[in-house]
Amino acid sequence: MSDRRAMFQYSIDPAALTLAAAAGGTGTKQTTTLQLQGDSWFVCQKLICNATSMAFDARIYGGSGSDAAWSNAAVNAASLFGTAQRPLLMHDPFIIDPGTALTFELEDRSGAANTVEIVLEGYKDFDLSKRPTDVQYRAPYPMYRHQFFQYVDSTSVNASNSSPAQIRIQSGSMFVVRQIMALSNVGLVAGTFQVRISDSGSGRQYSANLVNDANFAGTAQYPRVLHEPISFEPNSVVSVEYTDTSAATNPIQLVLTGTKIFRPGM
């Protein structure tokens, strides 16, 4: 066992993080900071959370260089965090610079006071002379820098109707989808729906028909893992087709979880 690396957890003290509730199930946004130590790189491999209710949204900022956000929008906690026994496993870890201050923007949706503890688990790399190499990880382009990321679409579909949506891939990197999560009614009241995604540029569809949500997506604890990942080029558009099958107005959040790949020139 090398002294260069050691398992480590960073956590946000739950005593300092109780989200305020508000009428209608939406609370006031609350921001908290997690200061990482300067003695090492931190290679984040797992996202864990324990809360009074997992009905809250979260967005994380900070990491390496200018790539500050970990998602394009706020993510429902059930699609971002698992438990110690069933954590969200990052297929490609997020390498975080020594001394980084991570910012967590949180918003309750449970309608009650919500005490939250968030844990980042991975390992410290104490060799400050160089960034931990990405080659040891499983990205399809191991020679290029890459990082964990989530693309989010939130669309409300009228009862028994269909609705299109789009997710635009950012210009600075390609994106490889590793896992798919989704929630209906954003974790408050379960609904059902059908969905299909396609690449607008190539016209390629990733299912023959619309698929029931239970067969299309999971949660952070039980994600749908793609054994054959889907790659999208920079600036491409992911087209999403939704159809409600719950006979009620159906707010849906779809989360594509995977890896940004920063090829030369991006």
Side-chain angles (χ1 to χ4, degrees), residues 103-254:
T103 299
F104 294 76
E105 188 176 82
L106 309 173
E107 184 174 359
D108 180 72
R109 293 190 177 275
S110 70
N114 196 351
T115 301
V116 176
E117 181 182 27
I118 293 171
V119 175
L120 309 184
E121 181 174 317
Y123 65 87
K124 283 185 168 186
D125 188 322
F126 294 98
D127 185 356
L128 296 179
S129 66
K130 59 182 179 180
R131 187 175 189 269
T133 176
D134 291 356
V135 173
Q136 63 187 299
Y137 307 133
R138 294 171 290 174
Y141 302 94
M143 68 290 295
Y144 304 142
R145 187 170 69 85
H146 55 280
Q147 71 179 46
F148 170 86
F149 197 77
Q150 291 182 309
Y151 278 101
V152 182
D153 174 68
S154 297
T155 295
S156 183
V157 182
N158 291 332
S160 303
N161 280 314
S162 299
S163 181
Q166 291 185 336
I167 301 173
R168 180 169 294 278
I169 304 302
Q170 296 169 0
S171 61
S173 58
M174 67 179 294
F175 184 66
V176 179
V177 183
R178 301 287 195 177
Q179 302 166 324
I180 300 179
M181 296 82 154
L183 288 173
S184 174
N185 286 346
V186 198
L188 296 178
V189 180
T192 57
F193 61 95
Q194 295 179 327
V195 60
R196 175 166 60 183
I197 63 173
S198 59
D199 187 327
S200 293
S202 66
R204 177 173 295 167
Q205 297 177 329
Y206 294 100
S207 61
N209 303 292
L210 273 73
V211 179
N212 288 324
D213 62 283
N215 292 323
F216 183 83
T219 65
Q221 292 189 48
Y222 300 96
R224 176 190 170 197
V225 177
L226 303 183
H227 289 280
E228 186 63 36
I230 302 172
S231 297
F232 292 99
E233 291 295 318
N235 290 316
S236 61
V237 175
V238 183
S239 292
V240 187
E241 303 169 68
Y242 298 110
T243 295
D244 171 67
T245 57
S246 64
T249 300
N250 197 347
I252 298 166
Q253 185 179 87
L254 174 67

Side-chain angles (χ1 to χ4, degrees), residues 24-44:
T26 302
T28 302
K29 286 184 180 179
Q30 181 171 330
T31 300
T32 190
T33 300
L34 177 62
Q35 180 65 53
L36 273 58
Q37 298 168 4
D39 65 343
S40 59
W41 303 84
F42 181 62
V43 180
C44 185

